Amino acid sequence: MLALLRRFLISSWLVVALLLLWWKVSANSENYFWPPLSQIATQFKANWLFTNVVEDVIPSLKNLAIGYIIGAPCAVVVGAHLGLSEIAQKIFSPLVNFFRSIPGVALVPIFIMLFGIGDESRRVSIAVAVFFPTLIATVEAVRSSDAVLMDVSRSFRFSAFQSLWRVRVPSGAPMISSGLQVSLQVGFIVMIVSEMLGAFRGLGAFTVEAQQSFMIIDMWTGIIVLGILGYIFNVIFELVEKRALRWYRGQKGLTS
Amino acid sequence: MTHPMRTGARLELKDVTKTYTGHGEDKHVLDRINCIVEPGEFLSIVGPSGVGKTTLLRLLTGLTPVTTGEILLDGKPVTSPPEDLAIVLQEYTRSLMPWLTVEKNIELPLKLKKIAKEERRERVQSAIIEVGLEGNDSRYPWQLSGGMQQRVAIARALASRPRILVMDEPFASVDAQTRLDLEDLVLKVRDDFGITTLLVTHDMDEAVYLADRVLVLTGKPAHVAAEIAVPLGYPRNQVETRAHPDFGHLRGEIYQLIRGKR
Amino acid sequence: MRFANPKNWLWLISLGGVVLIWQLVSVSLNDRPFPSVLKISNALSEMLQTGEFWGDLGVTFLIAMVGLIIGIALAVPLGLLVGLSEFAFRSTKFILDFLKVIPPIVVLPLVLLMFGTTIKFSVTLVVFGVLFSVIVQATYGVRDTDPVLLDTLAAFNASKYARLKYAVLPSALPFIATGTKIATSAAVIVSIVTGLVGSGPGLGHSLSVAQTGGNSPNVYAYVVVLGVVGILVNLLVSAMDKRIIFWRGK
Ligand SMILES: Nc1ncnc2c1ncn2[C@@H]1O[C@H](COP(=O)(O)OP(=O)(O)OP(=O)(O)O)[C@@H](O)[C@H]1O
Ligand SMILES: [Mg+2]
């Protein structure tokens, strides 16, 4: 109990100290870019608890969710099949390599051109940007399946489809999962960029609009919300992963 | 516990030759291997390291194609892993699915064969009891010792009700005591089910202790140096059988074959 | 030999397929900004003949490299310091984990406001994108030091400096190299984003100008260029990777 408290104190004192320092130092700040933290806090409460949530947060998250839920599973399915076939890899890998090398954010202007600046273009941008990191990870995961497990699948006469989804994909899950995590981060960035480049609503649009109209405090609150969301997504992802891949951690913990 | 008595399968190797091609030069590993394994028989295959034991096992399980010659299981040519055959591999840590519990590992092949749920459960339970893993159903393979993992692999093989069980150095990486236990387990399984059993090993004692007959492979490319019958009778006993004068005799004979011919 | 093997030419199928499909779509969508392959390649070849383009490309790389170097120069000593002390490591863990996952785009508006659309703005953002992941890698590297090696050195009465040199640094270096690898790709992308979103100098800005000006062949041409840039960076990174793996003797 006491040890737990100690650990908590050690891991959090610096955060508290820095926040206090920020609060104190900025209290009478005249600096244009660094307004008093107290003012930011007040404005944060006014903006985000919970006035603008429906207007700016929910649409952003909805676009991210839709783009991710379309892009990532597609990438797993396509990647799994691509990973199986040497010939398909020979045919597609230069192409895939080219497309995955285009930064996801660079796709945003194309889709804005094609679909206008509505949610449609944002969702498509996110879905496409999210697709490639997961695809690459899945192909790699399926390709590097353990030879012994493959012998086992064959000896029990699993069909190609069964051994793909019952053996290769689950055994590659840790690698696929890191692809999914990178995809989520990329999706988050593309979500913000797509809003900054032309949107009336959404967190990115809010923050950039505040910046352009020199509402520094509003801008600060936008940055803070985005930062917290980015962090929370990662935490949630890792929690889910920890639970889903408990076997992997257990296995590694025992062998290493 | 009642097990339906099954009869073992008959395996026949006719002039089986294997040459690995590709990766530069060709490698002639097995040269005209001939052998017949009768239903219910226990055959050990021994030979020095690198002689081609694993290769032979992969050929007769249909995991690797033969170069020339023929392998017949109950008269039918083997081209891919046959229905009635089950395999236990040496690498127990890698041959089980680490994301599935013991129970689910054993169940998976049955599930993919679309066997009804009730029957599946019954088969899994009786296999778990057969190998002595009661109470470990919902643990993961990596939570078990090496010997227990190998028991799971054996249970998984048994649950598919094979008529021939093929094992490649299944006990090579477990400790000595566990090894003896697992040897006796394999003998019990053969006894309970009457299945044909093939065991690859480089341990001459193990080969003799378990088998009706020992096939000795030597040379490069490998050929059958001798087929040695083991007239020790069953049941066997780790202490008495190994102390039997015939045991030492057979062991010496095999040693001579392997060492002398190098 | 390699070129004689028809299998090595299979990718031409997919290239041909993409060109064909692209062409069909562009014909059927002639009311949308979806120019034909020919138009795009014309735009690309014209673009490659302008000095402006090469200037943009150079600036984009310059920003990425300067930001990368500054970022690593700051991150490595910090990471080593933090990693050496259990207390420092645990105290900063939350903050570093937090900052590591915050993409630079989040703080872009603030930095833009402070520096305007200058190179300073872009470089600062690249530094932000590089800094935390390299710090975290370096701390992990230090903490991964083989305890047996440390004990051995202690048994020889080795000085603190010797322990650092022979045990801690060799352990941290591969981690730092991995961090640098990740940071290199990140730096180039951030450099492009600063242009695209913040109108900082470089390719990103030209892409954004082409899009707002409705010059669709140029938009695609720039995206093709960015793809090629990405491939080059990936090649660079995998070359670094080979060195790292060589170094670790794997
Ligand atoms: N896929 C392959 N391609 C080429 N050569 C192979 C292949 N598999 C095995 N060999 C070669 O065939 C020979 C026999 O190998 P095999 O694994 O069958 O021997 P083994 O008797 O099982 O040895 P051990 O006792 O070490 O397990 C070896 O020289 C090996 O290098
Ligand atoms: Mg072998």
Side-chain angles (χ1 to χ4, degrees):
Chain A
M1 190 61 216
L2 218 72
L4 214 70
L5 187 74
R6 219 179 92 103
R7 266 179 51 190
F8 176 77
L9 279 179
I10 289 185
S11 61
S12 58
W13 73 269
L14 189 60
V15 182
V16 177
L18 285 177
L19 283 177
L20 283 177
L21 188 73
W22 184 2
W23 188 280
K24 266 261 173 284
V25 169
S26 70
N28 303 309
S29 168
E30 299 279 312
N31 188 315
Y32 185 67
F33 307 116
W34 305 90
L37 185 53
S38 55
Q39 286 181 27
I40 298 178
T42 317
Q43 191 64 19
F44 185 92
K45 215 170 131 196
N47 281 347
W48 304 114
L49 301 176
F50 293 91
T51 349
N52 292 343
V53 169
V54 176
E55 207 177 303
D56 286 317
V57 181
I58 302 287
S60 294
L61 297 188
K62 200 168 151 193
N63 289 338
L64 177 58
I66 291 175
Y68 191 74
I69 286 169
I70 293 173
C74 278
V76 173
V77 174
V78 174
H81 288 92
L82 205 55
L84 271 191
S85 156
E86 201 71 36
I87 297 272
Q89 279 165 47
K90 279 243 153 67
I91 294 179
F92 289 106
S93 72
L95 200 71
V96 168
N97 260 323
F98 177 72
F99 280 108
R100 73 130 171 185
S101 301
I102 300 173
V105 286
L107 298 170
V108 176
I110 290 190
F111 291 116
I112 289 182
M113 237 167 44
L114 288 174
F115 301 108
I117 55 167
D119 283 336
E120 200 185 2
S121 77
R122 263 164 259 149
R123 288 170 191 172
V124 176
S125 304
I126 293 169
V128 175
V130 150
F131 183 80
F132 286 97
T134 302
L135 180 83
I136 301 292
T138 311
V139 171
E140 227 14 77
V142 166
R143 265 167 52 113
S144 55
S145 298
D146 191 312
V148 174
L149 279 184
M150 289 298 91
D151 280 346
V152 169
S153 318
R154 281 183 59 208
S155 78
F156 284 110
R157 292 182 313 288
F158 296 172
S159 68
F161 185 82
Q162 288 172 334
S163 85
L164 178 61
W165 292 103
R166 295 297 190 143
V167 184
R168 284 180 186 263
V169 169
S171 79
M175 207 188 264
I176 297 175
S177 170
S178 28
L180 285 170
Q181 187 171 14
V182 172
S183 282
L184 184 61
Q185 290 162 350
V186 169
F188 182 65
I189 294 171
V190 172
M191 171 197 101
I192 302 174
V193 169
S194 71
E195 289 169 353
M196 286 184 170
L197 282 183
F200 307 112
R201 326 176 298 180
L203 280 165
F206 174 93
T207 311
V208 125
E209 229 166 76
Q211 174 241 320
Q212 282 163 357
S213 43
F214 302 103
M215 320 234 317
I216 309 296
I217 299 180
D218 277 334
M219 179 195 78
W220 267 103
T221 67
I223 287 177
I224 291 170
V225 173
L226 283 173
I228 292 175
L229 278 181
Y231 181 71
I232 288 179
F233 284 152
N234 268 285
V235 169
I236 294 178
F237 189 96
E238 276 165 15
L239 281 179
V240 173
E241 183 192 49
K242 211 169 169 177
R243 178 105 193 88
L245 299 182
R246 223 177 18 190
W247 61 268
Y248 181 66
R249 298 162 50 82
Q251 187 192 26
K252 259 186 39 176
L254 288 184
T255 51
S256 70
Chain B
M1 207 171 50
T2 57
H3 290 294
M5 196 61 185
R6 295 190 297 273
T7 49
R10 182 176 191 274
L11 183 73
E12 190 172 355
L13 280 71
K14 285 184 178 169
D15 274 336
V16 171
T17 302
K18 180 66 188 178
T19 304
Y20 285 112
T21 52
H23 316 300
E25 83 228 61
D26 291 358
K27 188 151 193 182
H28 190 181
V29 179
L30 295 177
D31 190 48
R32 278 174 295 133
I33 309 288
N34 283 290
C35 178
I36 293 175
V37 192
E38 296 296 344
E41 194 181 10
F42 198 128
L43 179 80
S44 294
I45 302 171
V46 286
S49 182
V51 76
K53 302 182 296 291
T54 298
T55 302
L56 181 61
L57 181 126
R58 292 183 66 88
L59 296 181
L60 57 87
T61 52
L63 285 172
T64 304
V66 297
T67 307
T68 62
E70 209 177 13
I71 295 169
L72 301 172
L73 190 70
D74 286 335
K76 279 174 288 186
V78 173
T79 50
S80 63
E83 174 92 47
D84 289 330
L85 181 144
I87 309 175
V88 175
L89 297 164
Q90 174 181 343
E91 300 95 338
Y92 51 81
T93 39
R94 285 161 66 199
S95 80
L96 299 172
M97 324 275 161
W99 59 93
L100 296 177
T101 58
V102 166
E103 195 177 16
K104 292 269 159 58
N105 257 293
I106 300 172
E107 190 187 6
L108 184 67
L110 308 178
K111 199 166 165 181
L112 297 188
K113 248 194 257 176
K114 311 225 158 43
I115 289 171
K117 194 160 185 175
E118 266 85 277
E119 186 179 349
R120 247 159 43 204
R121 186 166 310 147
E122 194 234 271
R123 284 204 202 181
V124 170
Q125 279 318 316
S126 65
I128 286 179
I129 293 169
E130 177 73 28
V131 301
L133 275 176
E134 297 93 330
N136 291 297
D137 307 30
S138 52
R139 298 175 76 183
Y140 286 89
W142 38 269
Q143 295 174 316
L144 306 176
S145 67
M148 284 162 98
Q149 290 182 26
Q150 201 54 298
R151 282 170 198 264
V152 179
I154 295 170
R156 180 174 65 181
L158 293 178
S160 66
R161 306 259 155 104
R163 295 177 55 232
I164 176 165
L165 180 65
V166 180
M167 296 178 276
D168 186 8
E169 309 208 15
F171 317 133
S173 18
V174 296
D175 64 83
Q177 178 57 47
T178 309
R179 186 173 188 140
L180 303 185
D181 292 346
L182 288 173
E183 285 169 5
D184 288 334
L185 169 67
V186 168
L187 284 179
K188 174 170 94 91
V189 164
R190 200 272 295 255
D191 221 38
D192 286 349
F193 298 103
I195 50 182
T196 310
T197 310
L198 265 73
L199 179 116
V200 164
T201 176
H202 55 223
D203 181 334
M204 292 167 247
D205 289 44
E206 181 171 277
V208 174
Y209 176 69
L210 291 172
D212 289 306
R213 201 147 52 94
V214 179
L215 188 78
V216 184
L217 292 180
T218 55
K220 268 183 201 301
H223 59 277
V224 179
E227 281 184 49
I228 297 169
V230 181
L232 288 170
Y234 292 93
R236 295 194 181 164
N237 178 296
Q238 291 286 6
V239 179
E240 282 159 29
T241 307
R242 282 176 197 266
H244 198 284
D246 285 356
F247 185 91
H249 216 80
L250 289 163
R251 206 188 156 280
E253 195 178 333
I254 294 170
Y255 185 86
Q256 285 293 316
L257 281 165
I258 291 178
R259 291 290 138 161
K261 288 220 175 165
R262 287 232 296 191
Chain C
M1 180 73 189
R2 230 183 112 214
F3 296 98
N5 188 346
K7 275 191 178 167
N8 290 330
W9 293 100
L10 276 172
W11 59 274
L12 285 174
I13 299 175
S14 64
L15 185 69
V18 167
V19 170
L20 194 73
I21 292 170
W22 190 280
Q23 209 59 20
L24 288 177
V25 175
S26 97
V27 169
S28 61
L29 279 183
N30 55 11
D31 56 324
R32 292 229 191 183
F34 205 94
S36 66
V37 177
L38 193 65
K39 272 189 188 160
I40 298 174
S41 51
N42 280 342
L44 186 62
S45 68
E46 266 173 43
M47 207 161 82
L48 294 182
Q49 286 160 27
T50 62
E52 200 193 330
F53 166 79
W54 295 102
D56 280 349
L57 187 66
V59 169
T60 299
F61 270 113
L62 186 74
I63 291 168
M65 285 310 126
V66 173
L68 187 65
I69 290 167
I70 297 178
I72 291 170
L74 289 173
V76 170
L78 279 175
L80 293 180
L81 277 179
V82 169
L84 279 173
S85 143
E86 179 69 25
F87 179 72
F89 174 77
R90 291 224 247 146
S91 303
T92 52
K93 187 165 181 355
F94 175 80
I95 297 173
L96 287 176
D97 281 349
F98 185 85
L99 290 171
K100 195 183 83 170
V101 298
I102 306 297
I105 183 79
V106 168
V107 295
L108 181 140
L110 175 67
V111 182
L112 181 58
L113 209 57
M114 289 165 68
F115 299 124
T117 55
T118 59
I119 287 203
K120 208 168 163 191
F121 148 69
S122 308
V123 169
T124 308
L125 221 57
V126 173
V127 172
F128 184 90
V130 165
L131 194 61
F132 303 106
S133 54
V134 180
I135 293 184
V136 169
Q137 280 294 325
T139 59
Y140 286 159
V142 172
R143 294 171 58 81
D144 196 54
T145 308
D146 186 355
V148 178
L149 193 56
L150 279 180
D151 287 348
T152 316
L153 285 173
F156 285 123
N157 265 329
S159 67
K160 199 157 188 175
Y161 168 77
R163 270 182 256 177
L164 214 72
K165 184 171 166 198
Y166 295 111
V168 177
L169 276 185
S171 150
L173 271 178
F175 281 77
I176 294 170
T178 307
T180 305
K181 212 184 81 186
I182 301 167
T184 307
S185 320
V188 176
I189 292 176
V190 176
S191 166
I192 292 166
V193 170
T194 55
L196 185 64
V197 183
S199 304
L203 283 175
H205 183 51
S206 312
L207 168 60
S208 148
V209 168
Q211 182 241 313
T212 41
N215 185 348
S216 63
N218 266 13
V219 171
Y220 290 95
Y222 274 118
V223 172
V224 170
V225 168
L226 292 181
V228 174
V229 167
I231 289 177
L232 291 179
V233 173
N234 286 343
L235 286 178
L236 180 76
V237 165
S238 65
M240 286 159 66
D241 211 18
K242 288 215 180 81
R243 295 297 290 263
I244 300 171
I245 289 169
F246 167 75
W247 195 84
R248 279 177 174 166
K250 278 185 191 160

